[in-house]
């Protein structure tokens, strides 16, 4: 590549655009005309005449203050920009110019050398926005495009840009999204011409060209991105690509693959979108590795026999293919199941904003009252009417099987929770780090064996119950208010917590009794750096009592429910419909409440062991559960050295 002609000085908006206007070839700058405040004060008449000669129809009147967008600082948006001015109406042009000059005075930046920039207005914009050539916070090598698909070009000025896409700046040309290919080419040219690669550029995309409205230095970067770090980021991206390709190779009939941080077991909500290593590894061990699928398998769902969660650069994502596969009956014809999974993936690709609502808006995981109408969409995706009939019959038969299994699942879950509690009570606190870590491991093993597998099953049943309950307003006179009233009547650990808090404030139960029951809870269930409630002195002081109403035991809309169920072929014999809903929802919350006691106690034992060995909770959070378990094969000194090295390396990885 040739040497840049010269570096851009970024003295003012007008001078910067003038610098680029005749140099750029892959984009364009609209016709412009500029003058200083002093020139305006001396000869307004001539300037207005010049504008009328130079421009036809609509123009934009923009600020162009000296130093507004310098290499040291940016005052983007500080001064006025006025659009949709008719160049032939002198009074409107004059008022617009005066208003821009007035904005200099209001901001205390009046200077006779400040400029006013007049430009032809872009009228045929399809997309407009702003692109940063590095991430604005730390200068990572990504193009950040904030954009709006609209004919308007003032979304940046108004602060209404609502969409964002990020593109690694070394992405091969052939892999660039078609929508952004011309823009990225144009931006790379501007980087080269200006001899700057940290830029903030306002743009519009029309049918024929890329229009550049403004180029300013990106002054918000707090840390220079070193070459070494850039190379590490590039390697990390390549590793992520390899992971994706590996997953694609494992697919057979499925042509698409997707990962989401909010689908199904929703890691973004449970452990956060950027969790610590310990958070991730314990969540993975307890649920995402295999408990999630074993619980569903108990109910007759398909078991894909793979882990649900994958880590990309330290961030947790759900394997959407595995999730969708696990939410269809195991007895469904495999080819039909694969065809449905591809349909689900296609719908998600078309509407990615539904990735946290897939079970309501995309999937068919059980029979529901609106299934027939929702399934009509399948006809547009290559399904036959006979296949729709088969799917409907499969799901109805399967849902009745779920209802039939529910009493046994409820009974087994209760029994397992009792075993879990009894085994937990037999655990001692340990006298040294080895004993404590051994007990922590036992607690987590029990948590998985007696807690999370059953929880996965009961959580699925409660979801089926909610799907059926929420579908009633669509086919009957039952309204959403009645549904909400019924849901609020269901007892749960949350309602019990509020009741007990009320009793505590009245002095009917002691602080110790309250904390004995709820002290294991913490705001971050898997987070070792967050104190439990019984270790937070301000916890009880900050709690507020909600207006509690006595839970109703009545079934508020039983009329005609049996005929509705019968009409749809749903069979409730041993367990009535409302009991099915109440008991599955209650036991789901109860199971979660109970198994997190084991989890919380295990975390505290790990923290106590770390303290004995000289490690803080924050340091321990950068170890995986498998790193913790090395206590079984390493001596004390060796373990400490191993942990120190792991923490150091993991912190470096986290920075990347």
């Amino acid at each position: 590549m040739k040497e840049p002609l010269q570096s851009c000085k970024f003295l003012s908006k007008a001078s910067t655009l003038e610098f680029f206007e005749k140099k750029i070839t892959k984009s364009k700058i609209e016709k412009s005309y500029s003058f200083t405040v002093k020139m305006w004060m001396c000869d307004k008449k001539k300037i207005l005449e010049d504008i009328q000669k130079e421009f036809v129809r609509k123009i934009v009147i923009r600020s162009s203050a000296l130093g507004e967008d310098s290499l040291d600082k940016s005052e983007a948006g500080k001064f006025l920009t006025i659009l949709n001015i008719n160049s032939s109406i002198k009074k409107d042009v004059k008022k617009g110019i005066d208003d821009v000059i007035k904005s200099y005075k209001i901001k205390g930046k009046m200077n006779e050398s400040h400029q006013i920039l007049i430009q032809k207005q872009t009228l045929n914009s399809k997309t407009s926005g702003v692109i940063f050539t590095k991430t604005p916070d730390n200068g990572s090598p990504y193009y950040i495009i904030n954009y709006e698909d609209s004919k308007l070009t003032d979304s940046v000025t108004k602060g209404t840009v609502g969409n964002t896409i990020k593109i690694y700046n070394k992405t091969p040309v052939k892999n660039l999204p078609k929508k952004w290919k011309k823009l990225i080419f144009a931006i790379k040219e501007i980087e080269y011409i200006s001899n700057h690669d940290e830029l903030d550029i306002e743009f519009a995309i029309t049918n024929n060209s890329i229009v550049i409205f403004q180029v300013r230095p990106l002054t918000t970067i707090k840390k220079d991105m070193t070459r070494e770090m850039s190379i590490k980021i590039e390697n990390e991206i390549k590793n992520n690509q390899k992971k994706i390709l590996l997953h694609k190779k494992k697919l057979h009939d499925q042509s698409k693959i997707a990962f989401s941080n909010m689908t199904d077991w929703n890691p973004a909500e449970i452990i956060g979108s950027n969790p610590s290593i310990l958070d991730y590894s314990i969540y993975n061990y307890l649920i995402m590795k295999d408990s999630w699928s074993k619980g569903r398998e108990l109910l007759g769902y398909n078991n894909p026999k793979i882990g649900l969660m994958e880590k990309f650069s330290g961030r947790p994502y759900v394997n959407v293919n595995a999730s969708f596969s696990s939410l269809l009956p195991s007895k469904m014809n495999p080819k039909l199941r694969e065809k449905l999974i591809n349909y689900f993936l296609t719908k998600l690709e078309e509407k990615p904003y539904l990735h946290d609502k897939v079970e309501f808006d995309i999937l068919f995981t059980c029979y529901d009252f609106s299934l027939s109408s929702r399934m009509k969409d399948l006809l547009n995706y290559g399904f036959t009417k006979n296949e729709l009939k088969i799917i409907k019959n499969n799901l109805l038969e399967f849902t009745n099987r779920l209802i039939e299994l529910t009493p046994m699942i409820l009974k087994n879950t209760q029994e397992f929770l009792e075993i879990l509690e009894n085994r937990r009570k037999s655990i001692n606190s340990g006298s040294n780090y080895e004993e404590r870590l051994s007990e922590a491991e036992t607690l987590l093993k029990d948590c998985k064996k007696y807690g999370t597998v059953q929880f996965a099953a009961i959580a699925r049943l409660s979801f089926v119950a909610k799907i059926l309950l929420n579908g009633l307003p669509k086919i009957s006179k039952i309204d959403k208010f009645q549904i909400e009233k019924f849901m609020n009547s269901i007892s749960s650990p949350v309602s019990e917590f509020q009741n007990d808090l009320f009793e505590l404030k009245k002095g009917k139960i002691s602080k110790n009794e309250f904390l004995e029951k709820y002290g294991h809870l913490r705001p971050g269930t898997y987070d070792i750096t967050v104190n439990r409630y019984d270790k937070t002195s301000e916890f009880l002081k900050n709690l507020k009592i909600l207006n509690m109403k006595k839970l109703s035991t009545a079934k508020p809309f039983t009329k005609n429910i049996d005929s509705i169920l019968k009409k749809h072929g749903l069979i409730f014999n041993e367990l009535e419909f409302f009991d099915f809903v109440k008991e599955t929802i209650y036991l789901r919350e109860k199971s979660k409440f109970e198994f997190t006691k084991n989890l919380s106690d295990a975390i505290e034992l790990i923290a106590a062991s770390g303290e004995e060995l000289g490690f803080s909770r924050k340091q321990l959070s950068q170890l995986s559960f498998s790193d913790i378990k090395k206590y079984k094969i390493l001596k004390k000194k060796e373990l400490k050295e191993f942990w120190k090295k792991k923490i150091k390396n993991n912190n470096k990885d986290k920075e990347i």
Side-chain angles (χ1 to χ4, degrees), residues 127-137 142-150 152-157 159-167 179-180 183-184 187 199-205 213 216 218 220:
T127 300
S128 64
V130 59
I131 179 170
F132 303 124
T133 60
K134 295 280 183 71
T135 59
D137 51 356
Y142 298 88
Y143 292 116
I144 312 295
I145 308 172
N146 298 317
Y147 69 97
E148 202 71 50
D149 290 325
S150 168
L152 303 176
T153 59
D154 60 342
S155 53
V156 175
T157 306
T160 58
V161 173
N163 305 300
T164 300
I165 186 169
K166 303 175 184 181
I167 301 174
K179 181 182 178 80
W180 304 115
L183 175 66
I184 298 300
I187 298 307
L199 299 171
D200 170 351
I201 301 170
E202 288 181 28
F203 69 90
I205 302 175
F213 297 130
R216 59 170 75 96
L218 190 53
T220 57

Side-chain angles (χ1 to χ4, degrees), residues 15 20 30 89 96 98 155-156 160 164 240 252 274 276 348 355 370 466 473 485 519 547 579 591 623 626:
S15 64
F20 286 107
E30 297 284 20
I89 303 176
D98 286 337
S155 53
V156 175
T160 58
T164 300
N240 288 335
H252 300 292
N274 191 17
S276 73
L348 181 60
H355 77 131
S370 60
K466 286 182 71 175
K485 185 178 179 181
N547 292 323
D579 291 331
S591 298
L623 294 171
S626 60

Side-chain angles (χ1 to χ4, degrees), residues 73 99 121 143 198 254 304 354 361 364 397 427 519 542:
K73 66 175 182 176
D99 285 346
Q121 183 163 326
Y143 292 116
E198 295 176 358
Q254 297 169 32
L354 293 177
D361 297 326
F364 312 124
E397 181 183 341
I427 295 288
N542 296 333

